[in-house]
């Protein structure tokens, strides 16, 4: 098993040879990313960063993560339909964070819409991310007793552009191959089947069926020079495999501004095609909106009759601020009536604190300044590379502690994940290094305020980074795609 292999008996493995073979297998199976700096129309690509071996994970914790996903889907869905909760939770953020404020204004515009011109069905493609928190220095653990020291702890839940379902699907075969090359053949149960690409596609097909118009199409909103295009293409192809009659078009917000409009029935028409489903793989960060024009385009899409993934209320429900508010005692109960299900969700939470200008906020500032290495400071951003850690928390909070600027952030208790040895194949491969992993579970929900039509857990994503790197994210260049190796 990988855990032992790289800790002790790897001398019999020809690692350079194995790396080369694994890279060819990965590239032949679509583990690709467009080469940095190439033109948008170029298909020139390298392998996406990936871990040479899968990472040891407890089967029971993967099952735990799977088992709570449909309730997390439902929770986000209910939060997204609760105006008062969204408003009370986000009002202090909106005052200081323009990005969230722009989203909020679009949300308010949807509330004023005439019911008949409005699309009531939501499509959620979520990914709930966790680390396996280890309450003991994991380098000293032996495999047989490490289980009792691990707990599944949530990092965040993503409601927009939850990526890597395509590449994660194809990683299974890469890792079965690399393990076999290392002499481990009986591993079908250890590197479990995983097909989130199909799950995402089924969600989109379900939404398309709901829209119910034969020649309507699915629109992927992408950035103009998207490196992660192969991941998106694998999802596109999975839609084709379910229903080859559904066409997919890809456009940026800028393109849509040029080519799109709302017709008299409030249908979104782009290049003469009626859009049934809009799937956002861009639009989650301030950089996605190059001008006010792009915000106008987002608003046009939002007010259209197309089914949005995510709709603006789902997007707002995925902010870090909402997740912090949901972690307060008694709040989950408002949305999920069953006490034992609430307990299972809450077991995955660590402490989170508001940084509003209240006594609670003062206390959070004090905690963070006193012990910055035990916390992460998070703004309302997505995509990796935005959080503040360790001594920088101290510097930053000291500067802004008397300003309302601090309310744009939340403070989260730091999770210390289990570490293990691996080799990560970035542009340049690492040596055998200590790594930590983040496990994501994909969830799909389709429904309106009153009725849920589909609510499923559809597979997982494992991402692994070198221990000591604070940030995460594959596109952001911190992490490599991985698979769990179940024990
Ligand atoms: P984003 O939406 O930008 O991905 P995340 O909340 O996932 O924001 O944070 C980015 C990365 O920071 C995560 O992938 C993880 O590696 C690290 N991180 C976030 N929260 C914590 C935490 N509480 N403890 C330890 N690491 C964290
Ligand atoms: Mg995120
Ligand atoms: Mg994240």
């Amino acid at each position: 098993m990988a855990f032992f292999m790289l800790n002790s008996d790897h001398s019999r493995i020809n690692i350079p040879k194995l790396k080369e073979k694994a890279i060819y297998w990965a590239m032949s199976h679509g583990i690709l990313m467009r080469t940095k700096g190439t033109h948008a129309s170029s298909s020139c690509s390298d392998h996406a960063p990936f871990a040479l071996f899968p990472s040891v994970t407890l089967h029971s914790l993967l099952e735990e993560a799977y088992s709570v996903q449909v309730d997390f889907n439902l929770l986000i869905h209910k939060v997204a339909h609760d105006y008062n909760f969204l408003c009370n939770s986000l009002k202090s953020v909106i005052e200081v964070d323009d990005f969230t404020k722009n989203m909020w204004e679009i949300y308010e515009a949807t509330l004023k819409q005439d019911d008949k011109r409005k699309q009531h069905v939501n499509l959620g493609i979520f990914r709930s991310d966790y680390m396996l928190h280890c309450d003991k220095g994991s380098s000293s653990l032996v495999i047989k007793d490490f289980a009792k020291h691990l707990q599944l702890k949530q990092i965040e839940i993503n409601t927009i552009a939850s990526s890597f379902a395509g590449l994660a699907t194809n990683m299974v075969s890469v890792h079965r191959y690399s393990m076999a090359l290392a002499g481990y053949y009986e591993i079908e149960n250890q590197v479990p089947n995983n097909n989130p690409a199909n799950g995402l596609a089924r969600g989109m097909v379900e939404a398309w069926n709901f829209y119910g118009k034969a020649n309507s199409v699915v629109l992927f909103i992408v950035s103009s020079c998207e490196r992660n295009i192969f991941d998106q293409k694998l999802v596109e192809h999975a839609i084709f495999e379910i229903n080859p009659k559904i066409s997919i078009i890809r456009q940026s917000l800028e393109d849509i501004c040029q080519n799109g409009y709302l017709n008299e029935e409030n249908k979104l028409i782009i290049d003469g095609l009626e859009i049934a489903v809009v799937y956002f793989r861009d639009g989650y960060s301030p950089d996605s909106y190059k001008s006010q024009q792009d915000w106008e385009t987002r608003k046009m899409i939002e007010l259209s009759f197309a089914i949005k993934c995510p709709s603006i209320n789902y997007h707002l429900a995925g902010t870090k601020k909402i997740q912090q508010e949901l972690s307060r005692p008694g709040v989950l109960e408002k949305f999920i009536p069953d006490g034992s299900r609430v307990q299972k969700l809450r077991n995955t939470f660590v402490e989170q604190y508001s940084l509003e200008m209240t006594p609670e906020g003062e206390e959070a500032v004090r905690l963070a300044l006193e012990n910055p290495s035990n916390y992460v400071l998070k703004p309302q951003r997505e995509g990796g590379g935005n959080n503040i850690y360790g001594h920088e928390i101290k510097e930053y909070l000291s500067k802004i502690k008397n300003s309302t600027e601090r309310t744009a952030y939340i403070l989260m208790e730091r999770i210390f994940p289990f570490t293990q040895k691996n080799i990560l194949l970035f542009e340049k491969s690492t040596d055998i290094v200590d790594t930590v992993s983040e496990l994501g579970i994909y969830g799909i929900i389709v429904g309106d305020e009153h009725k849920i039509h589909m609510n499923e857990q559809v597979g997982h994503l494992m991402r692994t980074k070198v221990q000591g790197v604070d940030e995460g994210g594959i596109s952001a260049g911190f992490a490599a795609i991985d698979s769990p190796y179940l024990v």
Side-chain angles (χ1 to χ4, degrees), residues 306-317:
I307 298 175
K308 278 76 61 178
C309 176
S311 47
I312 196 81
N313 55 337
Y314 270 25
H315 190 177
L316 286 165

Side-chain angles (χ1 to χ4, degrees), residues 31 79 98 126 186 278 288 291 311 374 452 478:
I31 308 297
V79 166
D98 283 344
F126 304 149
E186 304 293 324
V278 182
S288 319
S291 64
S311 47
N374 282 349
I452 303 295
F478 302 105

Side-chain angles (χ1 to χ4, degrees), residues 4-20:
F4 282 139
M5 203 159 67
L6 292 178
N7 277 299
S8 53
D9 72 339
H10 63 268
S11 55
R12 65 187 172 74
I13 306 169
N14 181 341
I15 287 184
K17 190 86 214 148
L18 201 155
K19 269 193 220 172
E20 188 192 317

